[in-house]
DNA sequence: CGTAGATTTGATAGCAGTCAAACATCGTGG
DNA sequence: CCACGATGTTTGACTGCTATCAAATCTACG
């Protein structure tokens, strides 16, 4: 019942700007999990981009309840979206990996929204808040992609809601590990042994799945003992993904599809 | 742990088509919770509309796992989006009220998606599945509204995820009742005493909040005893919204804003 | 008036939360 | 090179919120 959101000696933002990388040479774009864009589209995106933002581990990228603000594309590093109750209970809404688009909510929603915080050192591509409208007006197909991204992110949250609402601790953790591993793998973050970076603490897992830290630990321990996963040195490997999928009752498609990158 | 999704003698679809209402005379559009659209936009929407769909109580509007399919705007009646696990556990993702746009997910998402089921008799405005692209290409500002709707729906799910993950039973129920009452009220579904239609069973509440039916009932009972709500004859009234808001730790904006209607 | 679905209630069980404390890691400074 | 503090991981003991089981109403309606 206590989603610890302890202030955690936050290293206070320290957001420094820096020379930007040209979109045409964006390292993410080369990955085959992203749609290939024609040059004019990439040039257009480039024209919207106003810079890059580098953020330290554990710093807030967007404060909870912020309105307006910029739009971002996560270039490197991991982050998460979250909401908190006034007594400190925290719920992580989903994790953000490279290629994810950030800030749509703050743009549209009138209600108090969620915060975004870095899990590792993070580099973000920055767009002014009105580029959303610019995109719609100028490049309908890009706008269509924005809609795709919004719908896709909602699908992720839907899946988590199913987990938190109806799966038990082991099932929830199994699915989370599975999905994170899939996402990281598709970004080719894995090494030759299939281990992907995992800058997430057990407290984060607990907060993402509506569990307590202690119970998360015990469940994690049990899963590892069964050989279902292994977390060492900030990396996650899954010796038996099929077993995890079966445990989580998750029969998602295996065929990897490409997605938009803005 | 058992989100009962008992097949419930489903009255098997019975989806009949019928003469359509002209968008220019759409009764929803008159409500002041919706954006006012210029005539050309309404004409454009009208040109996309291919008919109306009437669905019986408890019938499936979109089967779980369906791909493609039409797009809908809910004209009258209530419905809900849901996902189920293979053993029958069901999670309701959110409730759908008049004016809500349905089908975005099925259009975009490649993963298995969610189903949509009617809570009452329902009338839907039907659009072919490629009107989404049509909208983006022809009316950028309408496309912008689609994005708004997608982001807004995600915000609703985010809020529910916070509830299910971190609020206890009483808090969850308090917030659900509060939000549903607000939404129904803004649609002017309430009578003079402030009671709004409430075509929802306790099983639905349980499935929406990740609770068991029995515990939902007991908690509901306790809340009503405290005078926090009253459900009679399929109508919900909230004698003390402020107390509910405080219990749920919910400090959403009170100012009613308008939203898009497509 | 009988039946199916929905609501209630009481009893019991268990998954997960809370409390407390030991242990492990890691960067920093003496 | 090791003490030290901060953060994160583990464990054990105990509690409790919520699930499950069973069964009695209550309601709507053909």
């Amino acid at each position: 019942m206590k989603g610890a959101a302890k202030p955690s000696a936050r290293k206070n933002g320290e957001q420094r700007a820096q020379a930007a990388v040209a979109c045409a040479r964006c390292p993410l774009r080369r990955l085959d999990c992203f749609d290939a864009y024609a040059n004019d589209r990439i040039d257009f995106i480039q024209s919207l981009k106003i810079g890059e933002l580098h953020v330290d581990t554990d710093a807030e990228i967007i404060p909870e309840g912020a309105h307006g603000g910029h739009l971002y594309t996560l270039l490197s590093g991991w982050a998460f979206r979250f909401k908190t109750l006034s007594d400190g209970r925290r719920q992580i809404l989903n994790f953000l990996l490279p290629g994810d688009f950030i800030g749509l909510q703050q743009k549209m929603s009138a209600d108090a929204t969620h915060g975004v915080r870095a899990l590792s050192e993070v580099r973000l591509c920055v767009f002014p808040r009105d580029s959303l409208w610019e995109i719609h007006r100028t490049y309908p197909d890009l706008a269509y992609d924005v809609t795709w991204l919004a719908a896709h992110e909602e699908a992720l949250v839907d899946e988590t809601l199913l987990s938190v609402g109806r799966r038990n601790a082991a099932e929830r953790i199994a699915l989370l590990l599975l999905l994170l591993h899939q996402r990281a793998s598709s970004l080719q973050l894995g090494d030759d042994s299939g281990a992907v970076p995992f800058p997430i603490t057990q407290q984060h897992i607990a907060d993402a799945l509506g569990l307590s830290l202690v119970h998360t630990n015990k469940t994690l321990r049990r899963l590892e003992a069964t050989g279902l996963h292994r977390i060492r040195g900030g990396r996650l490997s899954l010796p038996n993904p099929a077993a995890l999928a079966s445990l989580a009752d998750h029969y998602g498609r295996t065929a990897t599809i490409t997605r938009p990158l803005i």
Side-chain angles (χ1 to χ4, degrees), chain A residues 26-37:
Chain A
C26 179
L28 286 179
R29 181 75 59 191
R30 294 195 203 102
L31 300 175
D32 45 335
C33 63
F34 292 113
D35 294 342
Y37 277 6

Side-chain angles (χ1 to χ4, degrees), chain A residues 128-140:
Chain A
R129 79 152 136 291
D130 55 347
S131 13
L132 233 211
W133 170 242
E134 208 52 37
I135 289 173
H136 280 78
R137 210 192 36 171
T138 317
Y139 274 78

Side-chain angles (χ1 to χ4, degrees), chain A residues 69-245:
Chain A
H70 291 138
L71 295 169
Y72 306 96
T73 289
L74 186 45
L75 286 182
S76 68
W78 292 35
F80 63 90
R81 300 194 305 122
F82 68 95
K83 280 167 106 67
T84 58
L85 295 175
S86 61
D87 65 359
R89 282 176 283 177
R90 177 175 74 175
Q91 178 65 39
I92 291 181
L93 303 170
N94 70 182
F95 293 100
L96 301 170
L97 270 64
D100 284 349
F101 196 60
I102 305 175
L104 259 187
Q105 306 280 318
Q106 278 73 19
K107 183 79 192 70
M108 315 304 262
S109 168
D111 268 323
T113 58
H114 56 263
V116 176
R117 183 180 287 250
L119 278 165
S120 64
E121 286 203 12
V122 152
R123 275 190 312 146
L124 299 148
C125 199
V126 186
F127 303 102
R129 79 152 136 291
D130 55 347
S131 13
L132 233 211
W133 170 242
E134 208 52 37
I135 289 173
H136 280 78
R137 210 192 36 171
T138 317
Y139 274 78
D141 43 358
L142 266 187
Y144 192 85
D145 285 349
V146 170
T147 306
W148 191 99
L149 287 169
H152 184 257
E153 186 174 86
E154 185 186 327
L156 287 184
V157 182
D158 285 351
E159 186 66 52
T160 304
L161 181 53
L162 172 62
S163 267
V164 176
R166 292 304 180 195
R167 278 188 255 248
N168 65 33
E171 295 168 341
R172 291 181 212 182
I173 292 181
L175 183 58
L176 178 64
L177 295 183
L178 191 60
L179 293 182
L180 284 178
H181 188 91
Q182 275 180 6
R183 290 172 68 190
S185 291
S186 80
L187 291 166
Q188 302 185 4
L189 297 175
D191 57 25
D192 38 318
S193 74
V196 302
F198 199 69
I200 290 178
T201 69
Q202 296 185 358
Q203 182 67 67
H204 291 124
I205 297 178
D207 286 349
L209 300 180
L211 297 169
S212 72
L213 172 60
V214 173
H215 194 58
T216 299
N217 174 276
K218 287 174 179 170
T219 307
L220 223 27
R221 206 95 307 296
R222 225 168 298 136
L223 287 185
E224 181 166 18
T226 326
L228 289 185
H229 82 276
R230 181 186 165 81
I231 300 177
R232 282 301 135 73
R235 308 208 127 230
L236 164 72
S237 46
L238 303 182
N240 192 353
L244 279 181

Side-chain angles (χ1 to χ4, degrees), chain A residues 38-59:
Chain A
N39 286 332
D40 62 325
R41 282 218 258 180
I42 292 179
D43 291 345
F44 174 67
I45 294 174
Q46 176 77 68
S47 75
L48 295 173
K49 179 172 177 177
I50 58 175
E52 273 177 31
L53 183 63
H54 291 233
V55 174
D56 279 341
T57 299
D58 208 42

